[in-house]
Amino acid sequence: MHEDARLAALRGFGVLDTPPEAAFDRITGLLADVLDVPISLLTLVDAERIWFKSVVGIAEREVDRAPGFCDTAIRMTGAYVIEDALTAPRARRNPLVTGELGVRFYAGAPLRTSDGYTIGMLAALDLRPRRLEARELRVLEQLADVAMEHLQLRREVRQAAASKEAVERAYLKLSEGFEETVQQRTAELAHQAQHDHLTGLPNRVLLEERLERALASATRHGRALAVLFVDLDGFKHVNDTFGHTAGDHLLQQVASRLLASLRSSDTLARVSGDEFVVLIPEVKRPDDARDVALALLAGLGEPFSARGHDVTLTASVGVSVFPKDGPDAAAMQRHADAAMYAAKDAGRNRVCFYRGAHEAALFEEEP
């Protein structure tokens, strides 16, 4: 790394020691929300210090460069992740780790100029060890790209304007347009973080958010709700026979058919390869959940198409009903999952209701 050239590139942006700016604060705020971390930083690595252009979660505006996380990170070719700082020899000497804050996790994506110099990092920090999913890493990298685009545009405005008044006019115009761009990219990234890339359905993150809200509403108004776990029967055989590309196409068809059996107020989420979860936010009686479950199975009744062949798919459905089957989201999902496995054990292609941990004979009904 040519440090003198890197520092010259950094200072060419004219951003060190400038006041906070809404566009950068929006990026760090979104990063903290999407990755569910208490601290997020947009850092610029100067000669002797790491300065924070935008920060969420701590009061500091800069730290010494060594032994800072970002000092190590800028030497990497891509993102830099420390799952547990106490097990990383250099990181565990960092004052953010050894001090009162007690940082344990760091993930940073580089702010890289068009000529290849890394001038800083967009970073997420947590107070507990954790792993970063591939989806979360993509969000971090894309937000870093958004931040770098704004830094570059900001520099172009400074270079193009010949007077303070011209700078202010041009920057105001740029900021208005960039705010709109940031809002659009923010919405896109938030959607990616909460939806399954293959089917477009809500993923587990969004499902649990909606389930928590539905449980709070049901408790407040004295209503019942239902959670249905839907697991395709023998789907591995489909992948082994026709290949994963055909299997992905079938999952998209399955998602469409399941959606067609639900109301707009219901949520259908894909939570793993061939497993879907349905949230019915209001049921007046258990038969309502049974009727929905049977409709889902009936919707899968017609053959699917895979590489010109007809493929018959069935599913096993487990149902839990709030409040009798669990007081919270974790219990409702766990008990619907248990009922789904009971449906598998009973012969598949059927619906089972949860009836308690020690009751072997769950209610079951075939379509």
Side-chain angles (χ1 to χ4, degrees):
M1 179 174 66
H2 302 289
E3 180 63 4
D4 289 344
R6 191 195 69 81
L7 288 172
L10 167 61
R11 287 163 186 162
F13 283 90
V15 70
L16 288 169
D17 299 310
T18 57
E21 296 176 45
F24 295 115
D25 292 343
R26 190 188 304 276
I27 292 170
T28 52
L30 175 63
L31 179 62
D33 288 343
V34 173
L35 267 61
D36 191 23
V37 293
I39 303 167
S40 62
L41 310 169
L42 195 153
T43 73
L44 298 169
V45 182
D46 202 0
E48 301 293 336
R49 61 175 179 157
I50 300 171
W51 181 74
F52 306 152
K53 174 60 180 171
S54 179
V55 56
V56 171
I58 59 176
E60 289 85 348
R61 298 299 301 186
E62 64 179 61
V63 295
D64 290 341
R65 178 166 169 174
F69 291 116
C70 296
D71 180 47
T72 302
I74 64 169
R75 305 169 197 271
M76 305 298 171
T77 57
Y80 180 55
V81 179
I82 299 174
E83 294 180 352
D84 187 352
L86 294 185
T87 66
R90 181 175 173 83
R92 65 188 179 198
R93 295 187 288 113
N94 190 304
L96 294 178
V97 177
T98 60
E100 183 178 349
L101 196 59
V103 169
R104 296 288 296 276
F105 168 84
Y106 172 93
L111 304 176
R112 186 168 290 119
T113 66
S114 58
D115 46 3
Y117 294 110
T118 300
I119 60 172
M121 303 293 291
L122 179 66
L125 289 73
D126 207 338
L127 307 183
R128 58 184 177 85
R130 59 179 285 181
R131 297 180 66 87
L132 196 68
E133 297 180 3
R135 170 187 56 78
E136 295 173 317
L137 181 59
R138 287 196 301 271
V139 170
L140 173 61
E141 292 173 332
Q142 291 178 37
L143 283 174
D145 289 343
V146 172
M148 195 65 228
E149 288 171 9
H150 188 49
L151 284 169
Q152 290 168 339
L153 289 171
R154 189 182 186 281
R155 179 180 61 179
E156 291 169 8
V157 170
R158 290 180 63 252
Q159 293 173 341
S163 67
K164 181 180 178 181
E165 183 179 352
V167 169
E168 291 174 349
R169 285 200 307 268
Y171 189 70
L172 178 60
K173 183 177 180 180
L174 173 66
S175 295
E176 290 172 352
F178 189 76
E179 284 292 330
E180 183 178 346
T181 300
V182 168
Q183 290 177 11
Q184 181 179 349
R185 291 289 294 274
T186 296
E188 292 171 356
L189 292 171
H191 185 274
Q192 291 176 20
Q194 295 183 321
H195 290 79
D196 172 52
H197 72 281
L198 178 65
T199 62
L201 296 175
N203 60 15
R204 188 182 297 276
V205 173
L206 184 53
L207 168 70
E208 292 185 351
E209 179 182 310
R210 291 184 179 178
L211 178 54
E212 291 286 359
R213 287 204 304 263
L215 285 168
S217 177
T219 300
R220 192 162 53 248
H221 299 289
R223 294 196 302 254
L225 64 78
V227 173
L228 285 63
F229 267 49
V230 183
D231 190 88
L232 300 181
D233 297 325
F235 192 74
K236 181 179 183 300
H237 176 70
V238 174
N239 277 332
D240 292 344
T241 302
F242 298 102
H244 287 279
T245 299
D248 286 349
H249 182 57
L250 279 174
L251 287 172
Q252 291 169 335
Q253 295 179 62
V254 167
S256 295
R257 291 204 196 174
L258 294 177
L259 272 176
S261 300
L262 298 173
R263 303 169 302 180
S264 60
S265 58
D266 301 330
T267 293
L268 173 66
R270 181 182 177 223
V271 295
S272 67
D274 59 356
E275 188 171 59
F276 299 82
V277 177
V278 176
L279 165 63
I280 307 174
E282 182 176 2
V283 293
K284 298 189 182 305
R285 53 196 178 88
D287 282 352
D288 293 343
R290 180 203 61 192
D291 293 344
V292 171
L294 292 175
L296 294 173
L297 294 185
L300 302 178
E302 292 295 322
F304 294 82
S305 176
R307 290 191 171 181
H309 294 82
D310 284 347
V311 176
T312 299
L313 291 178
T314 62
S316 300
V317 182
V319 183
S320 63
V321 178
F322 176 83
K324 68 181 185 61
D325 293 337
D328 53 36
M332 289 293 293
Q333 292 180 85
R334 187 171 63 251
H335 294 159
D337 190 47
M340 181 271 291
Y341 277 107
K344 294 276 191 191
D345 292 341
R348 303 184 178 186
N349 191 28
R350 65 193 64 225
V351 179
C352 278
F353 277 68
Y354 183 74
R355 285 293 183 269
H358 303 294
E359 186 172 333
L362 304 182
F363 170 82
E364 62 181 82
E365 182 166 346
E366 297 181 57

